[in-house]
Amino acid sequence: MTTAMGAALRRIQFGNALAAFGNGFTAPFLFVFASHVRGLGDGTAGAVLAVFAVVALAVLPFTGRVIDRRGPMPVAFAGSALGAAGALGFGISQSGPSVLASSAVMGAGVAVLQPALATMIVSCSTTVTRSRAFATQFFLNNLGLGVGGLLGGLMVDEPRPATFTLLFVIEAAMFVVLAIVLSTVRLPQARGAGADAAHVTAAGREAPVGGWSVLLRDRSMVLLCVLGFVLFFACYGQFESGLSAYAVEVTRISTSTLGVALAANTAVIVLAQYVVLRLVERRRRSRVVAVVGLIWAVAWVAAGASGLVHGSQAAATALLITTYALFGVGETMLSPTVAPLVADLAPRRLVGQYNSAFALMKQTALAVGPAVGGLLAAVGAYGAYIVMLVCCSLGVSLLALWLGRRLTVAQDRPYRSVVVAGSGGARAATSDGAEPVTADAVSEERAAAAVV
């Protein structure tokens, strides 16, 4: 990785952290703002969150094609502008239609930013440094969200609507700062651009560059998307719905203690991310994800046990906090694993399309997960809820092992494949379509990885 690529990557990460910081100010308070502060009721507040998700699902299928044709930078600028406009709209909205419109605008902005920033990180990293780059992005996202949420909670006062307006203004300002930071970034030119008229699949067949048609014929990517859906459904899709309801209704913890459990999740991510990274970045990606499935299965068993402990609220609370902490451990293992794998599976000219497709599956899971969790919570089927999610977690492990059988060595264990190629003095093409790697390049990559 060159010095220019490293500088560009640091600026992208900095801007991304600031955007997450701004989002942290408002994300925990959207429902309260619409329902209580503006007096629009719980139905409208729920619709605000639903619109946010639905609009994201609507724009993501087209985002990847625009990124691949126009580049990620224009899409990131558009996303920043939409995010800022939506945040300001929230702050001044007084009626149901205006709040819903603001939710739609901000949802579209946040949705297109995700694959655009991911594509930028791919272009400014290499096979060796990519895992660390995405782990850093995940770490900064969680740190920004946590700090923003903490400050927002200290600033906000429900009887004073102006304090909520201030939060939305801060979020809008962070989107503007993100755009300003990105305007200073010069992305490296794709090597061999224009020569990539076809993509050679793992089976050795050539497929023309055709967006969704190429992706849907890539069985490894389709399987990874299915795996991603189950991952996000079984974890993130439950945080604000079924798991929270279970914690309050079955484990009988207070809402303040639930906040402690969420803080434990964030603390594990912030404190353990780079320790975990050192443990997993040289391991097979498929096996790392399989281990995550097992960890989350244990987490859901602990959650179930917390509802069965009678007469010891301290033990029940400890079990539930352990659930959130175990989720955090799994998340730190996924961040340097799944997103880089998406990039390494993608043809050079379809990185945006692949990132958008995976983001679409993530967003779908985040929409379906709360609906399913909320429905089971509403009818009190908590036993079935825990069993379903234990099975989903074990399904993650099985899907990951199945995917591992389809991946090449360069895709499943890229660090080892680069080092082996370099140590023998041979020239081996990297999975992201870059120039072949030699032994001299390997030492440079190791040095670069240490500072990303």
Side-chain angles (χ1 to χ4, degrees), residues 32-44:
V32 173
F33 174 76
S35 178
H36 301 302
V37 178
R38 294 307 188 202
L40 301 176
D42 290 352
T44 300

Side-chain angles (χ1 to χ4, degrees), residues 6-400:
L9 181 59
R10 285 190 291 273
R11 293 181 185 184
I12 294 168
Q13 302 282 33
F14 176 67
N16 187 48
L18 290 177
F21 174 70
N23 185 244
F25 273 90
T26 64
F29 311 111
L30 289 178
F31 189 92
V32 173
F33 174 76
S35 178
H36 301 302
V37 178
R38 294 307 188 202
L40 301 176
D42 290 352
T44 300
V48 165
L49 300 179
V51 166
F52 195 94
V54 169
V55 169
L57 292 176
V59 301
L60 280 171
F62 310 100
T63 302
R65 180 171 297 181
V66 177
I67 291 173
D68 290 327
R69 290 184 176 182
R70 304 294 182 186
M73 195 66 75
V75 176
F77 286 143
S80 299
L82 289 171
L88 288 176
F90 262 115
I92 63 176
S93 293
Q94 301 286 339
S95 64
S98 61
V99 169
L100 292 174
S102 299
S103 178
V105 172
M106 190 159 70
V110 172
V112 302
L113 266 175
Q114 293 178 11
L117 290 171
T119 304
M120 289 184 192
I121 291 173
V122 171
S123 67
C124 292
S125 60
T126 64
T127 302
V128 173
T129 62
R130 194 160 293 147
S131 291
R132 184 168 292 268
F134 277 103
T136 299
Q137 182 198 34
F138 184 72
F139 167 81
L140 292 175
N141 269 340
N142 280 274
L143 183 62
L145 286 169
V147 174
L150 176 63
L151 294 178
L154 295 174
M155 295 169 57
V156 76
D157 184 8
E158 189 172 327
R160 298 167 56 204
T163 60
F164 285 85
T165 300
L166 177 60
L167 297 188
F168 288 111
V169 170
I170 292 174
E171 181 179 25
M174 291 299 100
F175 278 117
V176 174
V177 172
L178 170 62
I180 293 173
V181 171
L182 292 181
S183 69
T184 68
V185 174
R186 296 294 177 265
L187 296 176
Q189 295 294 321
R191 285 164 287 187
D196 189 24
H199 165 53
V200 179
T201 66
R205 296 186 298 273
E206 289 191 352
V209 174
W212 284 101
S213 62
V214 172
L215 189 150
L216 293 175
R217 287 197 297 269
D218 188 340
R219 295 183 180 179
S220 296
M221 182 59 190
V222 171
L223 183 55
L224 179 58
C225 285
V226 174
L227 172 61
F229 176 86
V230 180
L231 276 169
F232 289 106
F233 175 87
C235 180
Y236 300 96
Q238 307 305 321
F239 272 12
E240 297 177 1
S241 58
L243 182 55
S244 297
Y246 184 90
V248 174
E249 298 295 331
V250 181
T251 309
R252 302 291 183 184
I253 69 171
S254 65
T255 53
S256 61
T257 305
L258 181 59
V260 172
L262 288 166
N265 174 265
T266 302
V268 167
I269 292 171
V270 172
L271 296 175
Q273 179 64 83
Y274 288 104
V275 175
V276 172
L277 174 65
R278 295 178 70 89
L279 296 175
V280 306
E281 65 181 338
R282 302 187 187 188
R283 303 290 191 270
R284 293 186 182 276
R285 289 167 169 171
S286 57
R287 293 182 183 176
V288 171
V289 178
V291 172
V292 171
L294 294 177
I295 291 173
W296 284 358
V298 173
W300 283 113
V301 169
S306 73
L308 299 176
V309 176
H310 301 292
S312 178
Q313 189 59 41
T317 300
L319 284 168
L320 193 76
I321 292 176
T322 299
T323 297
Y324 279 90
L326 288 174
F327 281 136
V329 173
E331 291 171 71
T332 62
M333 296 171 68
L334 289 176
S335 60
T337 304
V338 176
L341 180 55
V342 173
D344 288 345
L345 284 174
R348 184 170 53 220
R349 299 295 298 276
L350 291 178
V351 174
Q353 186 79 65
Y354 274 54
N355 279 324
S356 295
F358 193 78
L360 177 62
M361 296 307 297
K362 173 183 176 180
Q363 194 63 46
T364 302
L366 294 181
V368 174
V372 174
L375 177 61
L376 291 175
V379 299
Y382 291 110
Y385 175 74
I386 295 296
V387 171
M388 176 189 71
L389 290 165
V390 170
C391 291
C392 285
S393 300
L394 295 176
V396 165
S397 298
L398 294 176
L399 286 170

